[in-house]
């Protein structure tokens, strides 16, 4: 019915509001246009802040003691209950009592892994009977010279601290020159001593040079507070189980701050994701190994709960580096945003979860330009590719999102659908959201999927025109004018009705395919680039999300 012809993409872009007004509209929506949010059944749990009753009941002591602690340290109220319990369990395992904790209530403000690691560091350095006060003042203590710590009887006088620390490393023999601290006296701070010994160890174990060591301390300074045995345990696990070479470990040196016990839990409790070994996943995306095992399990549960296959996780492993609450919140947001919701069946949907802030900012920008065809790729691609798309002014996609969506709806091969849709010269200029809305409209009129598939190109046309022709066919005079052998539309099959609607629309446009354009898209644009805002070069270089429309450039082109 439609003959192949040169694409006549009609585009009319004009700014009607600046970025500032767009942002304000988010905060002050028009009540007439606001759609009620659809319940998703996956509400984020609202957690009460810590209160004296809860702490007294859960940790011990009494109401008055905890009320005084919370009044003196209000920041404690911001800590999640599960984190408080985790920190308490760790302190309990280190033989601290509730009375000890109440004496220094801010100790539970620190995470469980932080408390456990700091305690191990102090023990490695020769501390005996580490009190809650010493653990709480860890940063202060670690910056004190060894002789001062011995003078305060925190470390016994007969303990050779450098030698004790060297003996923590059992997989390599450190060179003699690393023992200079023992000869220069005990005026060196624990922090400086530990950093020097760790440098020597990493030179021997991972063949790190001075430049790499300096970069490590500059970028990942937290490693200096990691216990030596934990560092050695991490390297052994990563090299033997995850098959990291020394070179790969050097490039991902942040893994030295990982929790070996947590990585072992990941190996045991999440052995595979969609059939792929977790060791291979950890090797491909090392940052995932820094994620908490329980958090990873919750994230996978959230993904499955929203009907997303685990195969999608393998297409965007970066989503596993986000917190489970963040993933849940973004999945809910996708469900409530039409432009994102229609992409729900796309195997790359989790890219929208990982890059959601970037995607939403870009969507706002393109909406200002009246660009309708914002594909998943454009919303989540690199800044250079997005800037090129915005400058080129081609309001079209490659059709990937449409064929994926329809493939899921019709349960048909994507290539078969692409071949069908490609018969229409302008099909790539239609956003997938419109295709979805048109499909839902036809289904609301009791047209079946088989009939819609037989007339698949109708999904590209404006719903208003389809509805007009549908009403027209209900007029007997119109049927007579078409010289149809029936006087009532109900005598026609659904397939015949849809075919007639498509015929009637395109007959007005000489069967060129231009019937898909709505009224606001019917004007030719002689020089599209003149309608785009100027893109400041500074934004192109430093702006994280591509190119952001500025209020100034907006006003210049109004």
């Amino acid at each position: 019915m439609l003959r192949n012809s040169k694409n006549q993409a009609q585009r009319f872009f004009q700014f009607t509001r600046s970025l500032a007004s767009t942002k304000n509209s988010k905060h002050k929506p028009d009540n007439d246009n606001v759609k009620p949010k659809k319940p998703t059944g996956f509400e984020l749990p609202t957690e009460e802040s810590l209160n004296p009753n809860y702490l007294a009941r859960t940790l011990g002591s009494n109401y008055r003691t905890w009320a005084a602690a919370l009044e003196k340290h209000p920041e404690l109220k911001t800590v999640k209950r599960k984190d408080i319990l985790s920190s308490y369990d760790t302190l309990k395992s280190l033989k601290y009592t509730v009375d000890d904790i109440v004496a220094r209530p801010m100790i539970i403000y620190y995470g469980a892994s932080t408390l456990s690691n700091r305690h191990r560091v102090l023990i490695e350095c020769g501390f005996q009977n580490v009190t809650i006060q010493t653990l709480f003042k860890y940063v202060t203590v670690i910056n004190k010279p060894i002789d001062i710590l011995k003078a305060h009887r925190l470390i016994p006088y007969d303990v050779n601290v450098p030698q004790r620390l060297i003996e923590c490393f059992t997989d390599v023999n450190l060179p003699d020159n690393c023992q200079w601290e023992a000869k220069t006296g005990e005026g060196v701070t624990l922090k400086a001593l530990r950093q020097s010994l760790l440098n020597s160890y990493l030179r021997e174990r991972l063949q790190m040079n001075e430049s790499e060591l300096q970069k490590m301390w500059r970028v990942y300074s937290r490693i200096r507070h990691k216990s030596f045995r934990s560092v050695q345990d991490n390297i052994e696990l990563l090299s033997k189980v995850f098959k990291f070479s020394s070179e790969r470990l050097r490039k991902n040196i942040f893994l030295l701050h990982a929790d070996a016990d947590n990585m072992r839990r990941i190996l045991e409790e999440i052995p595979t994701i969609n059939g792929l070994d977790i060791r291979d996943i950890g090797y491909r995306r090392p940052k995932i190994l820094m994620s908490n095992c329980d958090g990873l399990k919750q994230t996978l549960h959230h993904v499955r709960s929203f009907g997303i296959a685990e195969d999608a996780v393998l297409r965007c492993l970066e989503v596993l580096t986000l917190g489970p609450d963040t993933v849940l919140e973004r999945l809910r947001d996708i469900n409530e945003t039409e432009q994102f919701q229609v992409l729900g069946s796309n195997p790359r949907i989790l890219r929208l979860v990982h890059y959601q802030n970037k995607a939403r900012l870009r969507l706002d920008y393109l909406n200002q330009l009246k660009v309708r065809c914002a594909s998943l790729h454009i919303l989540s691609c690199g800044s250079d590719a997005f800037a090129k798309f915005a400058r080129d002014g081609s309001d079209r996609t490659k059709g990937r999102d449409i064929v994926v969506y329809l493939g899921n709806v019709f349960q048909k091969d994507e290539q078969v659908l692409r071949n069908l849709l490609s018969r229409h010269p302008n099909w790539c200029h239609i956003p997938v959201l419109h295709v979805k809305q048109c499909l839902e409209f036809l289904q609301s009129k009791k047209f079946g999927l088989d009939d819609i598939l037989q007339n698949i190109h109708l999904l590209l046309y404006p719903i208003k025109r389809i509805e007009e022709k549908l009403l027209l066919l209900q007029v007997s005079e119109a049927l007579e004018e078409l010289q149809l052998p029936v006087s009532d539309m109900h005598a026609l099959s659904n397939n015949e009705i849809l075919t007639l609607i498509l015929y009637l629309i395109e007959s007005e446009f000489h069967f060129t395919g231009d019937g898909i354009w709505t009224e606001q898209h019917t004007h030719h644009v002689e020089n599209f680039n003149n309608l785009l805002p100027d893109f400041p070069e500074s934004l192109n270089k430093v702006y994280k999300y591509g190119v952001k429309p500025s209020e100034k450039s907006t006003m210049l082109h109004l």
Side-chain angles (χ1 to χ4, degrees):
M1 176 176 290
L2 296 174
R3 68 171 181 264
N4 291 323
S5 64
K6 183 178 180 180
N7 292 351
Q8 299 178 359
Q10 320 296 333
R11 313 172 189 89
F12 181 66
F13 296 91
Q14 180 179 8
F15 281 104
T16 58
R17 54 194 166 202
S18 66
L19 181 62
S21 64
T22 300
K23 290 183 177 179
N24 289 337
S25 66
K26 294 180 183 178
H27 300 291
K28 299 180 180 179
D30 184 354
N31 292 333
D32 295 333
N33 297 325
V34 173
K35 296 182 179 180
K37 291 185 177 181
K38 300 177 181 179
T40 61
F42 300 97
E43 296 295 326
L44 282 171
T46 56
E47 185 179 88
E48 294 182 12
S49 60
L50 291 180
N51 57 71
N53 275 327
Y54 173 79
L55 291 172
R57 185 176 65 253
T58 307
L59 306 187
S61 194
N62 57 67
Y63 176 92
R64 182 176 296 180
T65 300
W66 283 115
L70 291 176
E71 183 178 358
K72 185 177 181 180
H73 307 287
E75 55 267 44
L76 278 176
K77 297 178 181 179
T78 63
V79 183
K80 293 181 180 180
R81 293 186 174 187
K82 64 177 183 179
D83 295 334
I84 287 287
L85 291 176
S86 182
S87 296
Y88 171 71
D89 289 339
T90 297
L91 290 170
K92 188 177 178 181
S93 69
L94 297 174
K95 309 303 180 184
Y96 295 111
T97 66
V98 175
D99 292 335
D100 293 329
I101 296 173
V102 170
R104 284 291 180 181
M106 275 299 289
I107 194 74
I108 57 176
Y109 187 79
Y110 298 110
S113 60
T114 297
L115 294 171
S116 178
N117 182 72
R118 289 183 174 185
H119 190 273
R120 284 197 296 267
V121 170
L122 294 175
I123 296 298
E124 286 180 355
C125 292
F127 282 72
Q128 292 183 352
N129 301 321
V130 179
T131 64
I132 199 85
Q133 167 74 1
T134 304
L135 184 60
F136 180 68
K137 292 289 187 178
Y138 168 83
V139 175
T140 301
V141 169
I142 211 74
N143 280 283
K144 295 292 184 182
I146 298 173
D147 53 2
I148 297 296
L149 295 174
K150 287 187 175 182
H152 284 81
R153 298 183 180 180
L154 295 174
I155 300 176
Y157 280 103
D158 58 348
V159 173
N160 186 333
V161 178
Q163 187 60 37
R164 183 182 176 92
L165 289 174
I166 289 173
E167 291 172 356
C168 292
F169 298 118
T170 59
D171 55 348
V172 296
N173 293 319
L174 297 185
D176 294 337
N177 60 8
C178 77
Q179 303 194 29
W180 63 271
E181 294 85 357
K183 299 177 182 179
T184 57
E186 296 182 336
V188 63
T189 65
L190 278 181
K191 177 182 174 181
L193 172 63
R194 295 185 76 255
Q195 181 169 327
S196 176
L197 292 177
L198 187 56
N199 281 345
S200 297
Y201 173 73
L202 294 177
R203 288 191 195 98
E204 292 295 315
R205 184 65 177 83
L206 299 182
Q207 295 77 52
M208 293 183 69
N209 56 40
E210 288 303 317
S211 175
E212 291 170 329
L213 288 170
Q214 290 176 13
K215 179 181 178 181
M216 180 186 74
W217 296 123
R218 185 176 68 254
V219 180
Y220 306 112
S221 59
R222 292 192 308 164
I223 293 175
R224 64 166 49 95
H225 296 300
K226 194 74 174 173
S227 76
F228 285 177
R229 287 190 174 89
S230 296
V231 170
Q232 181 176 270
D233 196 12
N234 283 343
I235 292 177
E236 184 176 0
L237 182 63
L238 290 166
S239 58
K240 292 184 178 180
V241 178
F242 290 92
K243 306 303 180 184
F244 276 68
S245 63
S246 295
E247 179 183 4
R248 187 157 184 80
L249 277 171
R250 291 197 301 271
K251 291 181 178 178
N252 298 278
I253 200 65
F254 60 85
L255 288 173
L256 296 187
H257 201 273
D259 185 340
D261 291 335
N262 181 68
M263 288 192 285
R264 291 189 181 95
R265 280 192 62 201
I266 293 174
L267 287 167
E268 181 179 348
E269 299 179 27
I270 316 175
T272 62
I273 296 179
N274 196 47
L276 184 62
D277 196 306
I278 193 66
R279 291 173 294 184
D280 295 330
I281 293 174
Y283 186 87
R284 285 166 53 182
R285 293 291 185 275
K287 192 177 177 182
I288 294 173
L289 300 177
M290 302 291 291
S291 300
N292 180 270
C293 179
D294 292 328
L296 289 177
K297 291 163 68 176
Q298 289 179 33
T299 295
L300 292 172
H301 171 71
H302 294 329
V303 169
R304 290 189 292 264
S305 297
F306 277 80
I308 301 174
E310 284 192 355
D311 175 65
V313 177
L314 300 183
R315 294 173 180 265
C316 185
L317 290 172
E318 291 81 2
V319 76
L320 297 177
T321 64
L322 301 176
D325 290 346
T326 300
V327 172
L328 178 57
E329 183 179 0
R330 293 184 179 186
L331 285 170
R332 290 177 60 242
D333 187 64
I334 285 175
N335 247 21
E336 296 165 1
T337 305
E338 281 188 323
Q339 291 91 335
F340 294 159
Q341 185 185 41
V342 68
L343 300 170
S345 60
N346 195 301
R348 297 193 301 161
I349 182 62
L350 291 182
R351 287 181 63 83
L352 278 186
V353 174
H354 185 244
Y355 297 108
Q356 191 172 93
N357 294 334
K358 174 196 294 186
R360 184 164 291 285
L361 186 59
R362 290 179 174 182
L363 187 62
D364 290 344
Y365 177 85
L366 295 175
N367 284 340
Q368 289 186 70
L369 296 180
K370 303 300 182 185
V371 174
R372 305 184 303 158
C373 297
S375 67
L376 189 152
H377 170 70
I378 290 300
L379 293 176
S380 60
C381 66
S383 297
D384 291 341
F386 177 75
K388 184 178 185 300
F389 172 81
R391 280 201 182 91
D392 289 348
S394 179
D395 190 10
R396 59 170 294 160
T397 67
K398 294 182 179 180
R400 170 68 176 163
D401 294 344
I402 293 178
V403 296
V404 168
Y405 170 72
L406 293 180
N408 184 66
V409 171
F410 293 120
Q411 295 298 301
K412 294 291 183 181
D413 181 73
E414 292 175 11
Q415 189 57 48
V416 172
L417 293 174
R418 178 176 287 276
N419 293 339
L420 285 173
L421 290 167
S422 297
R423 297 176 186 175
H424 196 293
N426 299 322
W427 76 284
C428 285
H429 291 274
I430 303 301
V432 64
L433 178 59
H434 171 79
V435 172
K436 175 180 180 290
Q437 292 170 340
C438 191
L439 176 68
E440 292 174 346
F441 169 76
L442 293 176
Q443 287 183 304
S444 72
K445 298 300 180 181
K446 309 304 180 184
F447 290 101
L449 288 178
D450 290 338
D451 299 315
I452 297 173
L453 180 60
Q454 293 299 316
N455 299 274
I456 194 170
H457 298 104
L458 197 59
L459 298 176
L460 308 175
Y461 288 79
I463 295 175
K464 182 178 179 181
R465 284 185 181 149
I466 296 174
E467 193 168 20
E468 287 175 353
K469 303 308 178 186
L470 189 59
L471 293 173
L472 181 64
L473 290 177
Q474 297 178 25
V475 180
S476 57
E477 289 80 1
L479 295 177
E480 292 177 5
E481 186 177 343
L482 290 171
Q483 298 180 357
L484 296 177
V486 295
S487 57
D488 187 353
M489 184 185 76
H490 298 292
L492 299 172
S493 67
N494 283 346
N495 182 33
E496 291 171 335
I497 293 173
L498 294 179
T499 302
L500 276 173
I501 291 173
L502 186 57
Y503 172 84
L504 290 173
I505 293 174
E506 272 305 321
S507 64
E508 298 176 4
F509 297 89
H510 310 291
F511 304 101
T512 59
D514 288 346
I516 66 170
W517 308 116
T518 56
E519 292 181 2
Q520 61 266 36
H521 290 88
T522 56
H523 296 84
H524 287 275
V525 178
E526 296 298 332
N527 190 349
F528 175 80
N529 285 328
N530 289 340
L531 296 178
L532 283 173
D534 293 329
F535 298 110
E537 291 301 319
S538 60
L539 290 183
N540 292 343
K541 294 177 181 177
V542 303
Y543 187 52
K544 182 179 180 181
Y545 301 133
V547 181
K548 180 179 180 181
S550 65
E551 184 174 356
K552 180 179 178 181
S553 62
T554 300
M555 298 305 295
L556 288 174
H557 289 83
L558 279 176

